[in-house]
Amino acid sequence: MSMILFACVVRVRDGLPLSASTDFYHSQDFLECRRRLKTLALRLAQYPGRGSAEGLDFSIHFSSSRDVACMAICSRQCPAAMAFCFLETLWWEFTASYDTTCIGLASRPYAFLEFDSVIQKVKWHFNYVSSTQMESSLEKIQEELKFQPPVVLTLEDTDVANGVMNGHPQMHLEPAPNFRMEPVTALGILSLILNIMCAALNLIRGIHLAEHSLQCYLYLFYSPARTMKVVLMLLFICLGNMYLHGLRNLWQILFHIGVGLLSSYQILTRQLQEKPSDCGV
């Protein structure tokens, strides 16, 4: 039987799950342990870098450093040194794959779902490679655990008692909708290029440079009150070109306004697509 059953990577400051291994266990006890792991993830900032929550059949182990924590559900037969060695290896793999900026900007659960393959690979290695082949790594972790023992909890400690956590009533939080823009079209790419061209032609006129830069931003990224912003931006472009009537000929003015109209149309017609919050994990 595998000793390491489930693993995930979470963000420490808010407990947001960043990636997780595929779950093949469906017993009631295991599902209850998964629920308690999610609760513990929300409170990791309160605990030291390493800790364990002991249960009857399963144990939860966690190891955190900076803003990333790795968590695992293991069988009770799994040695603590092996669990923490696994978590440390997983932490190094994740932080080597993603920088702190990407981790900090992640806004939806399982934003790094593709890391699942790495979790499965490392999990398989620790479950099926003999401990003698990992002897040096395990000895190092054992020495560290002697000098800095992990905090020990029970699974009950990880749960919310009587609906109260940290002295405050537990609030029911609805997951916010996770939106992603539709893929960029060929016409959209053309409008971006034309906006960049207009911005380059207006390098000495800061206000016009800002207008075209903001149009590029509104096309690429979702922004609340998008329609109102697009209308105001188009109005500023038209007024700015009217103000420059004496410095530009009619074709130049029509070109800039035409680019503004094309970009506005592309921004308003590019729709949002909703991503499922759990991504099937």
Side-chain angles (χ1 to χ4, degrees):
M1 179 182 174
S2 301
M3 289 192 177
I4 301 170
L5 308 176
F6 173 80
C8 65
V9 183
V10 302
R11 191 165 59 193
V12 173
R13 74 169 187 261
D14 54 6
L16 180 75
L18 302 174
S19 188
S21 62
T22 305
D23 189 356
F24 295 109
Y25 304 93
H26 303 289
S27 69
Q28 189 61 38
D29 290 343
F30 179 81
L31 294 176
E32 177 66 15
C33 195
R34 276 285 307 272
R35 186 185 68 81
R36 294 176 186 269
L37 179 143
K38 291 180 180 180
T39 303
L40 177 60
L42 297 172
R43 305 166 66 183
L44 283 176
Q46 301 177 15
Y47 298 115
R50 286 180 179 145
S52 300
E54 303 291 340
L56 185 63
D57 298 317
F58 304 105
S59 299
I60 298 174
H61 301 280
F62 63 87
S63 178
S64 63
S65 180
R66 298 197 288 271
D67 200 28
V68 175
C70 295
M71 308 180 73
I73 297 176
C74 305
S75 65
R76 285 298 301 268
Q77 292 73 35
C78 181
M82 179 179 174
F84 286 113
C85 189
F86 164 75
L87 293 174
E88 184 175 282
T89 303
L90 202 60
W91 186 91
W92 281 109
E93 290 284 349
F94 187 82
T95 54
S97 301
Y98 306 101
D99 59 38
T100 54
T101 303
C102 291
I103 295 168
L105 292 176
S107 58
R108 59 184 177 88
Y110 308 106
F112 308 103
L113 191 61
E114 67 278 1
F115 190 73
D116 168 50
S117 60
V118 179
I119 298 177
Q120 299 287 20
K121 180 181 176 181
V122 177
K123 187 156 68 82
W124 183 93
H125 178 79
F126 277 83
N127 279 331
Y128 298 107
V129 173
S130 63
S131 58
T132 54
Q133 294 177 263
M134 301 182 288
E135 190 172 350
S136 61
S137 299
L138 290 175
E139 287 178 356
K140 174 179 174 290
I141 294 295
Q142 284 171 341
E143 287 296 318
E144 291 179 2
L145 294 179
K146 285 180 183 178
F147 290 104
Q148 291 183 321
V151 62
V152 179
L153 310 168
T154 65
L155 287 184
E156 286 71 24
D157 291 335
T158 67
D159 212 349
V160 180
N162 298 322
V164 177
M165 183 168 61
N166 300 330
H168 300 286
Q170 185 185 20
M171 298 178 64
H172 178 70
L173 301 177
E174 292 290 339
N178 298 302
F179 292 110
R180 185 177 180 180
M181 302 294 288
E182 287 183 343
V184 176
T185 63
L187 194 58
I189 294 173
L190 175 62
S191 71
L192 287 173
I193 294 172
L194 291 174
N195 266 295
I196 294 170
M197 184 186 300
C198 290
L201 293 172
N202 290 285
L203 282 175
I204 61 173
R205 300 184 179 93
I207 186 66
H208 299 300
L209 175 63
E211 288 167 354
H212 291 288
S213 300
L214 284 171
Q215 280 209 317
C216 291
Y217 176 83
L218 288 172
Y219 178 70
L220 292 173
F221 304 103
Y222 172 74
S223 176
R226 187 171 48 162
T227 301
M228 183 179 71
K229 292 176 183 178
V230 169
V231 171
L232 288 174
M233 201 61 56
L234 184 60
L235 180 63
F236 281 128
I237 289 174
C238 293
L239 291 175
N241 279 278
M242 289 174 62
Y243 178 76
L244 295 172
H245 179 68
L247 301 175
R248 289 176 176 168
N249 60 41
L250 181 61
W251 292 109
Q252 290 175 318
I253 292 174
L254 290 176
F255 173 75
H256 283 79
I257 293 177
V259 170
L261 288 169
L262 175 62
S263 299
S264 299
Y265 173 77
Q266 288 297 305
I267 293 167
L268 295 176
T269 55
R270 191 178 183 208
Q271 299 299 315
L272 297 170
Q273 56 185 11
E274 188 170 357
K275 295 279 289 180
S277 62
D278 205 7
C279 295
V281 175

